[in-house]
Amino acid sequence: MNSGKSQSTNNMTVLWIIGAFLALIIGGVIIAQATPLLFPPQGSAESLQVDDLFKFMLAIGGAIFLLVQGAIVYSVIRFRAKPGDLSDGANIHGNATLELVWTAIPAVIVLVLTVYSYQVWVSTREIKPNEQTVYGRGARFVWSFSYDVPASSVPSDVEVDKLPPNIQDAITNDSSFPITSRELHTFVGQPIKMVLDTSDTLHAFWIPAMRMKQDLISGRTTEIRFTPIQAGEFPVVCAELCGGGHGDMRASIIVHADETEYLSWFSDQVNLVVYPPDDPVLRGEQVLASGQYPCSGCHTLTALSWAGITGPNLNGIGDRAATVRSAATGETPEEYIHRSLYHPAEYLVPGFGALMPQFQPDAGQPNFMPVDDNKAIVAYLCTQTATGESACDLSNLDAIIAAGD
Amino acid sequence: MASITAPLGQAQTTAPGLKVSDFFRWSVDHKIIGIQYMATAIFFFIVGGALAMLIRWELLTPTLDLMQNGEQYNTLFSIHATVMIFLWIIPMFAGFGNYLVPLMLGAKDMAFPWLNAFAFWLIPPAGILLLLGWFVGPAQAGWTSYPPLSTLYSGDGQTLWAMALHLLGISSILGAINFIVTIKNMRPQGMGYWQMPLFVWAILATSIIVVLATPFLAGALTLLILDRVAGTSFFDPANGGDALLWQNVFWFYSHPAVYIMVLPGMGVISELLSVHSRKPIFGYRAIALSSMAIALVGFTVWAHHMFTSLTPELRIPFMVTSMIIAVPTGIKIFSWLGTLWGGKIRFTSAMLFALGFLSMFVIGGISGVMLGSVPVDIHLHDTYFVVSHLHFVLYGGSVFAIFGGIYHWFPKMFGKKLDERLGKLHFALTYVGFFFTFFPQHIAGMLGMPRRVAVYDPQFQQINVIISIASFVLGIATFVLLYNIVVTLIAGKRVGANPWRALTLEWATSSPPPAYNFIGDPVPFEDPYGYGTEESVAYLDALEKRFPPPVDTSATLTRAPQSGD
């Protein structure tokens, strides 16, 4: 019977479609198993959810990939014109049912992906009650991270009058003051809220291991949250083009195993600040190493492991300040270094552009650098000589500062 | 409609009596202008490709070596992208459109021939202006040129960059207006919108996007130039401006610009797949309407380029629209597969590139959906995953379509067929080189390599070496095409007017077509894709009688072949 035969052909077609469909799903699921190989370690609670979402998308995408490539390969083999066959293919213009199906199925897929993505998005943005705030700042081409230290946690034996004015104020008012680090420190299980800003161009704060990224936007502060779940050191990367040193703008996040370990790092940092060394050279070294100022983004200074190449090399700066630069400017080396921090554009080294931020001695201005910090930095840089002896006479410095800006 | 009042005097010397010098002169003949567009675009393709080779050379090692500093590297990729987008893909498709749209409509020329020539002649000075940037401190803020990097921290080349883009934008707008008017008014008797070739539909959809979107680019560029030279601060937050303003306006143009670059390629693919599989295009209306749907929805997705800078609350709506746009794209891909199914596939070089487009573009589509998901994009944004995605769309998509189109329409333009063996070599090298250049970039990006860096974490060196070597293969592949073009132009054999036996109207005249394209008013076949019927075979046979394949005239190249009638 004719109808019986077509019935069985239909059944075969249905079986083929079901079989192909299952094969595609299985293929997609197999492809999706590669997900862990494609991502960095899962460092945050959020990374688990993001990776699962990606894996789901990879399974669907893999199935679609196999469907399309399979259809191409099958068509190319099955429907190729034999040599000498000059005839045309069948005059078929379309099939409404089929077209409806391949509109509806992708529509359902993207709907599912949208809903799933939205759920992950909402859950990763949840605000945890015990979150810690860390301030991240991008400057060309260096990261710095600062933490609020409550004045109450300052040991009682510190000599308050030796501290920088902002810490003295904080102690007087029982408020808090910041300490700065070039690495981001935290510990496993501590939810973090990063408050991000930039002192120049756009940057993007990205921790691949945390699957978290947020642009730093000039003139605004932005926020991002995550909760580390794995101890270790992971890269922090700038992901938004910020200039010539963009590729060098990297730092680390150090996730301590527990709070005790983290607090021991933290109190070491606080002690460095509240027990400042008497020697201005040591204090200068400490200020520069803290990353409080973004010098390392552009300058090389081997003593502090800086490797920037956008600005002049600072190795041997003391010798050059006393010789070449002193001859070029007619200023003493200490005056030259002191003034070039506050007026960099007037002291351009030949071959370099006016890219350095102009530091300001007055609080409240952008790029604030207290005079005390400036003096300490000058003292330290003056010792960057071949012999290690200071090239400067620091006793002149106060007179220079008093005389002018 | 066919009466044209614009000056056409110089157009009368159209092929086959054309000299090489004719292509360096002002001409209002759309066929000459089309080839001028294409030749200019191919020149800039070589420039942009050379820059890409330098980029890949630099990335062989994780440190700076070829370049002296990061700024030089930033210039490479900034100019590479600008050239490839604005001086290669967009003008190349404008060239195809110029050459083909009037022919496909059976028209004698574009609606505004003088305007057409003017739009083309804006391009060479714009290209020169862009490259002159090297003498004044070139643009180095990426092709996206986000302020304040592009305003407060860049040299004067950035201003030249913006001025060059202004000129190119004007050129695009004028060209698009011309296409819209031509398509609306100059269709022949018997060709309604639903009988137009899908390439014409694609050019129509593209032109609508160009006319609506490009003015926004012009606006953004004007503000950028003012910020740079006139002391305004539209984008400078220190003086009350907003850095995100640029991103919004720029992407309001530049996302639709992706479709400006892809839709004509999809039009090319629709032609190629149908002709070379000898089968009607599957779901004609769905393909035509999906172009329009993409054009429309394309205007609502721009902020998915800003998922890491946009206010978080606004990200979800843009995720929804971005996901939706996958549906019309999927319709096209499945319709093309339906076209292949049951066809009689001819493995011409043109067809191979069309199949290559299908298999590579779908990868770009899948990665596009992944990037459309906000939580996944947060990780992948501004990484090599995005570099990979955009090249799968623009190279695996647009450029494969361009290559296929060159093989397909070269016989129309010059009456000679490109060498098929070289064509297949070109395809094989391109396909393999392309895949191994761009597919591993997905992985590099996911593992943590940001884009636009000359200096990278040494863990990514191995994968970058693979990518660079593959890219050199891809670079060499292009020279196979160029060699093929030159050799064929000089010594290629003449072929008949319609070597592919295609039904669309551009083949219903001699190859290359005479001045004013057609002798008399051509009557289109009832269905531009009506393969597989006796009527179509009869029509094609009659056409072949009317424009018989020439006897081998390669010895006497200058003699004009006699057309029938």
Side-chain angles (χ1 to χ4, degrees):
Chain A
M1 284 282 286
N2 223 354
S3 65
K5 194 180 174 193
S6 92
Q7 188 63 42
S8 77
T9 326
N10 276 346
N11 283 340
M12 280 307 288
T13 314
V14 170
L15 280 179
W16 270 109
I17 290 174
I18 292 172
F21 186 72
L22 286 177
L24 290 173
I25 301 266
I26 293 167
V29 170
I30 290 172
I31 290 175
Q33 301 312 309
T35 305
L37 302 174
L38 303 173
F39 280 111
Q42 295 182 311
S44 69
E46 294 74 16
S47 68
L48 305 178
Q49 291 174 286
V50 172
D51 291 8
D52 281 349
L53 171 58
F54 183 89
K55 191 174 184 177
F56 183 67
M57 295 177 106
L58 187 58
I60 292 176
I64 293 171
F65 173 84
L66 292 175
L67 169 67
V68 173
Q69 310 294 353
I72 294 172
V73 171
Y74 180 82
S75 303
V76 154
I77 295 169
R78 172 83 172 68
F79 303 117
R80 71 185 189 282
K82 311 285 180 298
D85 181 359
L86 298 178
S87 65
D88 286 355
N91 185 260
I92 300 166
H93 284 85
N95 179 320
T97 316
L98 203 53
E99 288 171 49
L100 197 65
V101 166
W102 69 45
T103 308
I105 291 181
V108 171
I109 290 175
V110 296
L111 181 70
V112 170
L113 291 180
T114 306
V115 172
Y116 185 4
S117 299
Y118 177 71
Q119 285 174 340
V120 171
W121 170 245
V122 169
S123 131
T124 55
R125 278 171 48 79
E126 216 169 90
I127 299 171
K128 317 275 195 313
N130 58 335
E131 69 184 14
Q132 175 195 22
T133 302
V134 182
Y135 300 87
R137 166 163 292 192
R140 307 203 320 161
F141 303 98
V142 64
W143 293 106
S144 63
F145 305 99
S146 43
Y147 298 74
D148 275 337
V149 183
S152 56
S153 68
V154 175
S156 51
D157 62 339
V158 301
E159 299 172 70
V160 175
D161 54 334
K162 277 193 176 177
L163 296 176
N166 66 323
I167 302 185
Q168 291 189 25
D169 288 351
I171 291 172
T172 322
N173 306 331
D174 197 24
S175 56
S176 60
F177 61 92
I179 57 163
T180 311
S181 162
R182 288 181 63 191
E183 282 102 28
L184 176 55
H185 285 256
T186 182
F187 59 95
V188 171
Q190 169 63 57
I192 293 205
K193 171 177 142 187
M194 297 291 305
V195 177
L196 302 161
D197 69 0
T198 164
S199 59
D200 39 51
T201 60
L202 308 183
H203 302 279
F205 176 82
W206 181 30
I207 310 177
M210 309 293 166
R211 315 287 187 270
M212 279 296 153
K213 190 183 289 122
Q214 170 61 46
D215 284 13
L216 281 61
I217 300 164
S218 317
R220 299 186 188 204
T221 44
T222 49
E223 290 178 5
I224 193 166
R225 293 180 164 81
F226 59 91
T227 307
I229 54 167
Q230 189 184 329
E233 183 173 344
F234 308 100
V236 172
V237 181
C238 178
E240 181 65 61
L241 181 63
C242 54
H246 170 51
D248 282 314
M249 190 164 165
R250 283 175 272 173
S252 294
I253 172 169
I254 291 152
V255 182
H256 296 281
D258 52 44
E259 191 169 7
T260 325
E261 197 184 301
Y262 166 74
L263 285 177
S264 121
W265 169 83
F266 190 75
S267 59
D268 284 352
Q269 300 303 304
V270 175
N271 288 343
L272 279 175
V273 175
V274 297
Y275 299 108
D278 287 331
D279 183 352
V281 174
L282 290 180
R283 205 178 98 68
E285 180 177 8
Q286 189 186 309
V287 167
L288 288 179
S290 75
Q292 190 178 342
Y293 303 105
C295 321
S296 64
C298 298
H299 296 285
T300 290
L301 184 53
T302 312
L304 298 176
S305 334
W306 295 355
I309 54 166
T310 306
N313 190 318
L314 294 181
N315 288 333
I317 173 72
D319 284 333
R320 286 199 305 284
T323 55
V324 193
R325 302 307 305 154
S326 184
T329 59
E331 292 175 358
T332 61
E334 59 277 10
E335 187 178 6
Y336 163 68
I337 299 178
H338 162 75
R339 283 186 49 84
S340 56
L341 287 165
Y342 284 152
H343 304 280
E346 295 169 24
Y347 292 87
L348 293 184
V349 175
F352 293 92
L355 294 171
M356 184 166 142
Q358 178 174 0
F359 294 103
Q360 313 261 14
D362 301 315
Q365 287 180 301
N367 296 311
F368 170 51
M369 178 189 276
V371 174
D372 281 347
D373 281 3
N374 180 304
K375 281 161 68 178
I377 293 169
V378 171
Y380 175 73
L381 290 180
C382 283
T383 64
Q384 295 304 306
T385 58
T387 58
E389 294 292 315
S390 176
C392 309
D393 182 359
L394 293 177
S395 59
N396 293 333
L397 206 50
D398 286 328
I400 292 165
I401 292 165
D405 52 354
Chain B
M1 282 297 101
S3 65
I4 295 168
T5 51
L8 274 169
Q10 288 128 313
Q12 283 167 344
T13 55
T14 316
L18 279 174
K19 298 188 294 292
V20 174
S21 61
D22 289 332
F23 292 97
F24 290 88
R25 295 209 188 107
W26 176 272
S27 166
V28 293
D29 181 337
H30 75 97
K31 297 186 289 302
I32 293 182
I33 295 170
I35 290 170
Q36 285 172 328
Y37 263 111
M38 292 190 223
T40 311
I42 288 173
F43 169 78
F44 281 108
F45 180 47
I46 297 165
V47 173
L51 293 170
M53 294 297 102
L54 291 176
I55 290 170
R56 288 317 317 176
W57 189 279
E58 171 61 58
L59 292 176
L60 281 168
T61 64
T63 52
L64 271 178
D65 28 42
L66 185 66
M67 296 293 123
Q68 283 162 339
N69 54 50
E71 276 96 8
Q72 281 187 357
Y73 178 80
N74 293 355
T75 297
L76 286 185
F77 66 71
S78 303
I79 306 294
H80 161 76
T82 309
V83 163
M84 289 303 202
I85 291 167
F86 293 101
L87 290 163
W88 157 238
I89 295 181
I90 292 180
M92 190 67 191
F93 279 131
F96 274 113
N98 262 293
Y99 198 96
L100 294 172
V101 166
L103 282 166
M104 284 179 163
L105 296 180
K108 293 183 176 5
D109 205 303
M110 296 281 284
F112 307 117
W114 189 91
L115 194 67
N116 200 20
F118 181 70
F120 164 71
W121 283 103
L122 288 173
I123 290 177
I128 292 165
L129 204 56
L130 179 71
L131 298 182
L132 278 181
W134 253 288
F135 296 100
V136 292
Q140 46 187 248
W143 83 277
T144 52
S145 285
Y146 284 2
L149 185 62
S150 61
T151 49
L152 304 178
Y153 296 86
S154 293
D156 289 339
Q158 192 71 50
T159 310
L160 294 184
W161 173 89
M163 286 161 60
L165 257 58
H166 247 314
L167 286 180
L168 294 166
I170 294 168
S171 167
S172 280
I173 293 173
L174 296 180
I177 291 171
N178 213 344
F179 281 130
I180 293 172
V181 175
T182 305
I183 294 168
K184 163 89 174 58
N185 291 330
M186 295 175 70
R187 278 173 284 116
Q189 288 289 322
M191 189 190 283
Y193 281 108
W194 296 116
Q195 283 81 41
M196 289 195 313
L198 286 166
F199 178 75
V200 179
W201 266 107
I203 292 289
L204 179 63
T206 306
S207 299
I208 291 171
I209 304 177
V210 169
V211 168
L212 293 179
T214 316
F216 286 86
L217 175 69
L221 290 170
T222 305
L223 300 188
L224 188 81
I225 293 173
L226 288 174
D227 265 18
R228 290 189 51 83
V229 304
T232 58
S233 50
F234 291 105
F235 305 125
D236 180 8
N239 293 304
D242 185 351
L244 283 190
L245 173 64
W246 166 270
Q247 294 185 21
N248 274 302
V249 185
F250 176 83
W251 285 115
F252 191 78
Y253 162 78
S254 290
H255 192 81
V258 174
Y259 304 114
I260 293 174
M261 290 184 271
V262 168
L263 284 179
M266 292 173 156
V268 168
I269 294 304
S270 297
E271 303 296 327
L272 265 50
L273 287 176
S274 176
V275 173
H276 295 273
S277 59
R278 311 305 305 165
K279 194 164 159 283
I281 193 83
F282 195 95
Y284 171 93
R285 285 190 184 221
I287 293 181
L289 287 176
S290 62
S291 291
M292 287 297 169
I294 289 171
L296 190 73
V297 184
F299 276 99
T300 65
V301 305
W302 79 92
H304 69 216
H305 296 270
M306 304 164 58
F307 276 164
T308 60
S309 56
L310 194 69
T311 308
E313 288 69 23
L314 288 176
R315 295 176 192 177
I316 296 304
F318 285 99
M319 169 168 82
V320 174
T321 53
S322 304
M323 290 280 186
I324 288 172
I325 212 160
V327 175
T329 313
I331 291 174
K332 279 186 193 289
I333 289 178
F334 293 123
S335 301
W336 290 325
L337 292 174
T339 306
L340 291 177
W341 202 268
K344 289 280 173 81
I345 297 172
R346 267 66 157 174
F347 288 104
T348 55
S349 305
M351 186 60 169
L352 288 174
F353 273 106
L355 293 167
F357 171 104
L358 256 185
S359 73
M360 291 298 106
F361 185 77
V362 72
I363 298 177
I366 293 168
S367 61
V369 171
M370 290 170 167
L371 289 169
S373 160
V374 177
V376 171
D377 183 75
I378 294 289
H379 178 62
L380 297 176
H381 204 88
D382 272 321
T383 68
Y384 260 86
F385 191 94
V386 175
V387 177
S388 176
H389 162 71
L390 75 92
H391 283 95
F392 267 91
V393 173
L394 294 182
Y395 202 123
S398 309
V399 180
F400 272 50
I402 288 171
F403 288 156
I406 289 176
Y407 286 99
H408 184 75
W409 282 295
F410 194 88
K412 183 80 254 168
M413 296 175 199
F414 299 103
K416 297 168 175 184
K417 209 153 119 180
L418 286 167
D419 185 272
E420 277 291 318
R421 279 203 335 224
L422 284 174
K424 278 161 192 165
L425 176 66
H426 174 217
F427 171 74
L429 290 177
T430 303
Y431 192 78
V432 174
F434 170 81
F435 185 82
F436 286 100
T437 301
F438 294 108
F439 196 81
Q441 293 184 0
H442 288 119
I443 299 163
M446 293 178 70
L447 287 174
M449 181 165 167
R451 66 194 289 203
R452 296 173 166 170
V453 293
V455 177
Y456 56 85
D457 191 322
Q459 64 159 312
F460 302 121
Q461 182 168 13
Q462 248 180 348
I463 202 163
N464 273 288
V465 169
I466 296 170
I467 292 169
S468 288
I469 291 171
S471 78
F472 299 146
V473 173
L474 188 58
I476 290 165
T478 305
F479 286 95
V480 178
L481 172 66
L482 297 177
Y483 173 78
N484 198 349
I485 290 176
V486 171
V487 167
T488 306
L489 281 177
I490 294 171
K493 269 197 221 159
R494 291 210 153 269
V495 290
N498 189 3
W500 315 118
R501 287 176 67 82
L503 288 170
T504 39
L505 258 186
E506 79 270 27
W507 302 100
T509 182
S510 58
S511 296
Y516 303 116
N517 299 341
F518 299 95
I519 294 158
D521 283 334
V523 180
F525 186 66
E526 54 183 15
D527 173 358
Y529 305 105
Y531 301 103
T533 60
E534 283 172 25
E535 292 86 350
S536 71
V537 173
Y539 169 85
L540 289 169
D541 287 345
L543 207 59
E544 203 160 294
K545 270 199 196 114
R546 195 161 163 232
F547 302 102
V551 282
D552 188 354
T553 55
S554 56
T556 54
L557 264 182
T558 48
R559 187 177 66 85
Q562 304 297 307
S563 53
D565 277 21

